[in-house]
Amino acid sequence: MDETRQRDREGTRRRILDAARRLFTELGYDQVTMRLIAAEADANIALINRYFGSKRELFAEVLAVQGRFPGVLEVPSEDLPRRLAEYVADRLRSDQGSLIMSALVRSSGCAETHEIIRDRVRSAILEPLAARLPGGDAAFRATVATAMITGVSMLSQLYGKGELEAPDREAVVGRLTAVFQACLAP
Amino acid sequence: MDETRQRDREGTRRRILDAARRLFTELGYDQVTMRLIAAEADANIALINRYFGSKRELFAEVLAVQGRFPGVLEVPSEDLPRRLAEYVADRLRSDQGSLIMSALVRSSGCAETHEIIRDRVRSAILEPLAARLPGGDAAFRATVATAMITGVSMLSQLYGKGELEAPDREAVVGRLTAVFQACLAP
DNA sequence: TTGACCAGTAAACAAGCGTCTACTAACTTC
DNA sequence: GAAGTTAGTAGACGCTTGTTTACTGGTCAA
């Protein structure tokens, strides 16, 4: 052994969790290996399963802790279309995003994570969004808006930030606001 | 060896291609193994790489042959929103879809296929759609509409057909038509 | 009939994966 | 200070992956 190491159970656990969050967000479930997480966390690979059980359970815990939809929905319902449009427009340019969307986009092809992601999307986006929509068919309208958010995340990940055609931010926000109004209107 | 087999180069090649198309559409690139393709095609695994070079090249050929966006765009531009809405609404219910969308949704987490899918989405959807949009910012508006199509495909694959909230088809088509109008309007 | 060609086959290859076990050594407790 | 607990480590396990090799045996021209 090269050097001794501090014994720090909680610290190591957190380093692993942080490393997993970064890697899963950036690369998706399949592309992230246990050895990669261990290296990024500067921890031994066996500790991952000791603390989290399995790769799948680690992924679930990462999503449970960090997979909330960032404070986008906490606005009056009449401001929702514009708020969502701003969020989506910024994500169309910044190339970085919430873990939940990255997980959805990057890990959707993986059967192992399907159920985890599904539950998380429902509890973090679909249901909170539907809950603040007045009028009938709230669940359906929330679904349509979620599809829009998802689709933009998908394309902005497939192409880089610079590669998608987009006019200035105000024009983008304006159009997306109209789209979300069409999605959400009672 | 159990039995003799006909020597049929073109037939075998086509069986492999068909099997690959079915499996890639249903499962995504990563979940489909060479052995699974060979079994589905009832062909020897070594023949896949003999005829197609590699799994990646097979995927590219499948997409090149069958990855066109089904005849959705061949309508007058004023009918485009409704046509797209009908297409998306049916896909929201039928659970089966075009290869290009399945590839995009199910294989997006895979770095190996990224470039193939990106080129195909551009040439099969983004560019043809933009080409028939009058007015400025056609490329951007096509991107927004494509995001909507993509997002619905994503959600309808994540959840089953029965699990997503949706009113009757006419109401779905009506709302999606309004959404696509907002996406595409000059 | 014989020989070249080649579709088809079986088996192995190296690499990578998630997981697990046996062990070391630092800390705590008495 | 001795004994027990446990965080951390190294390495192997069994399995799956895409790919490749060496071979078998139909097919057909000469």
Side-chain angles (χ1 to χ4, degrees):
Chain A
M1 193 172 1
D2 296 338
E3 48 184 311
T4 61
R5 180 187 293 272
Q6 290 285 349
R7 286 163 59 108
D8 179 7
R9 182 186 171 91
E10 282 313 306
T12 301
R13 210 191 118 97
R14 187 167 28 76
R15 286 207 318 280
I16 292 172
L17 201 64
D18 287 350
R21 175 183 46 73
R22 285 195 298 272
L23 291 170
F24 282 139
T25 303
E26 192 172 352
L27 300 172
Y29 185 83
D30 275 332
Q31 310 288 318
V32 174
T33 67
M34 301 288 276
R35 286 162 181 82
L36 190 59
I37 297 173
E40 173 87 2
D42 190 28
N44 189 279
I45 184 175
L47 295 178
I48 303 177
N49 277 2
R50 185 203 285 271
Y51 291 147
F52 297 95
S54 68
K55 185 186 180 187
R56 195 187 121 98
E57 290 173 272
L58 171 60
F59 183 76
E61 177 140 351
V62 165
L63 235 63
V65 172
Q66 312 250 4
R68 303 167 193 293
F69 204 47
V72 175
L73 305 180
E74 286 80 21
V75 295
S77 54
E78 65 266 23
D79 295 341
L80 258 181
R82 179 158 200 100
R83 183 75 191 87
L84 289 174
E86 285 169 347
Y87 171 75
V88 165
D90 291 340
R91 140 170 284 281
L92 191 63
R93 299 164 164 275
S94 81
D95 203 22
Q96 65 166 8
S98 65
L99 175 58
I100 178 71
M101 270 300 146
S102 289
L104 176 56
V105 167
R106 292 190 150 96
S107 307
S108 63
C110 176
E112 234 175 326
T113 61
H114 223 99
E115 189 182 345
I116 297 171
I117 295 176
R118 188 168 50 206
D119 292 349
R120 206 72 213 126
V121 168
R122 198 201 313 276
S123 65
I125 308 184
L126 282 174
E127 288 178 352
L129 185 53
R132 63 179 50 235
L133 294 183
D137 276 338
F140 170 62
R141 287 180 284 140
T143 302
V144 176
T146 303
M148 188 67 219
I149 299 167
T150 303
V152 173
S153 298
M154 182 107 236
L155 287 188
S156 74
Q157 184 255 339
L158 188 64
Y159 301 92
K161 51 185 158 188
E163 215 174 335
L164 280 179
E165 293 284 343
D168 59 287
R169 182 174 186 278
E170 268 318 295
V172 172
V173 171
R175 176 163 299 271
L176 290 178
T177 301
V179 172
F180 279 113
Q181 278 167 346
C183 293
L184 297 175
Chain B
M1 190 174 2
D2 296 338
E3 47 184 312
T4 62
R5 179 187 294 273
Q6 290 285 349
R7 286 163 58 107
D8 179 9
R9 182 186 172 92
E10 282 312 306
T12 301
R13 210 191 117 98
R14 187 166 29 76
R15 285 208 319 280
I16 293 172
L17 202 63
D18 286 350
R21 175 182 46 73
R22 284 195 297 275
L23 291 171
F24 281 141
T25 303
E26 191 173 352
L27 301 173
Y29 184 84
D30 274 332
Q31 310 289 319
V32 174
T33 66
M34 301 290 275
R35 286 162 182 81
L36 190 58
I37 297 174
E40 173 87 2
D42 191 28
N44 189 280
I45 185 176
L47 295 178
I48 302 177
N49 277 1
R50 187 204 286 272
Y51 292 147
F52 297 95
S54 68
K55 184 187 180 187
R56 195 187 120 98
E57 290 173 272
L58 170 61
F59 183 76
E61 176 141 351
V62 165
L63 236 63
V65 173
Q66 312 250 3
R68 303 167 193 292
F69 204 45
V72 175
L73 305 180
E74 286 79 22
V75 295
S77 54
E78 65 266 23
D79 295 341
L80 258 181
R82 180 158 199 98
R83 182 75 192 88
L84 289 174
E86 286 169 348
Y87 171 75
V88 165
D90 290 341
R91 138 170 285 279
L92 190 62
R93 300 165 164 274
S94 80
D95 204 23
Q96 64 165 7
S98 65
L99 176 57
I100 179 72
M101 269 300 147
S102 289
L104 175 57
V105 166
R106 294 190 148 94
S107 308
S108 63
C110 175
E112 235 176 324
T113 61
H114 224 98
E115 190 182 343
I116 297 171
I117 294 175
R118 187 168 52 205
D119 292 349
R120 207 70 214 130
V121 168
R122 197 200 314 274
S123 65
I125 308 183
L126 282 173
E127 288 178 352
L129 184 54
R132 64 179 48 234
L133 293 183
D137 276 339
F140 170 62
R141 288 180 283 139
T143 301
V144 176
T146 303
M148 189 67 218
I149 299 168
T150 302
V152 173
S153 297
M154 183 106 236
L155 287 189
S156 74
Q157 184 254 339
L158 189 64
Y159 302 91
K161 51 184 158 188
E163 215 174 338
L164 280 180
E165 292 283 344
D168 60 287
R169 183 174 186 278
E170 268 317 295
V172 172
V173 170
R175 177 163 299 270
L176 290 177
T177 301
V179 172
F180 279 113
Q181 278 168 345
C183 293
L184 297 175

